[in-house]
């Protein structure tokens, strides 16, 4: 299994709520650049946070790759959700290659949990950072980092 984690691109600093913050033009460029690393990957599912900037990022990836996959929006992929609960729920979405588009601190903590088996070593993910984790199953401490891309 390959689990790809993409942090949304740069977002505007203010909106009526955090959930409504949209991507900046720079953020759109960052996401398009990150999407290049997903070319030729047999993605079978895209899970995405309901927040606007994550939705926009997922749409840009889908557009850049010419994919017709639906986006599965999940309310438990927001910035402050518990990575342990996310890990428990991933069993519902077993796929050969899965992309999650979400936020920090959730994604950095989730990657750390999957690789190290605990929450004390989260990965540093910048806007539009993309990390690929490989393993037989998404289990705490059972995955390895296959690739890590940061935007320029």
């Amino acid at each position: 299994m390959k689990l790809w984690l993409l942090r949304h691109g740069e977002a505007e600093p203010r909106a009526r709520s955090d959930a409504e913050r949209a991507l900046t033009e720079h953020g759109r460029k960052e996401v398009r650049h990150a999407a290049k690393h997903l070319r030729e990957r047999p993605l079978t599912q895209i899970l995405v946070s309901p927040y606007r900037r994550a939705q926009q990022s997922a749409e840009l990836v889908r557009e850049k790759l010419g994919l017709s996959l639906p986006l599965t929006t999940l309310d438990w992929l927001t910035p402050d959700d518990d990575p342990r609960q996310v890990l428990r729920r991933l069993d519902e979405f077993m796929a050969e290659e899965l992309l999650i588009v979400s936020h920090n601190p959730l994604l950095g903590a989730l990657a750390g949990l999957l690789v190290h088996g605990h929450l004390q070593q989260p990965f540093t993910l910048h806007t539009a950072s993309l990390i690929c984790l490989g393993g037989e199953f998404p289990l705490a401490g059972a995955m390895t980092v296959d690739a890590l891309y940061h935007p320029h």
Side-chain angles (χ1 to χ4, degrees), residues 69-136:
L69 290 174
L71 300 180
T72 303
T73 301
L74 300 165
D75 62 2
W76 43 267
L77 287 177
T78 63
D80 297 318
D81 279 303
D82 186 335
R84 293 167 294 207
Q85 290 180 7
V86 170
L87 180 54
R88 278 187 227 110
R89 298 189 85 167
L90 280 181
D91 286 344
E92 304 167 34
F93 301 96
M94 292 305 291
E96 182 110 357
E97 296 231 5
L98 175 68
L99 171 64
I100 297 176
V101 182
S102 188
H103 318 266
N104 260 355
L106 176 63
L107 290 182
L110 179 60
L113 177 62
L114 288 164
V115 172
H116 306 299
H118 54 76
L119 296 173
Q120 285 72 42
Q121 286 181 278
F123 281 80
T124 300
L125 300 177
H126 308 287
T127 56
S129 284
L130 177 67
I131 187 169
C132 177
L133 304 176
E136 201 166 326

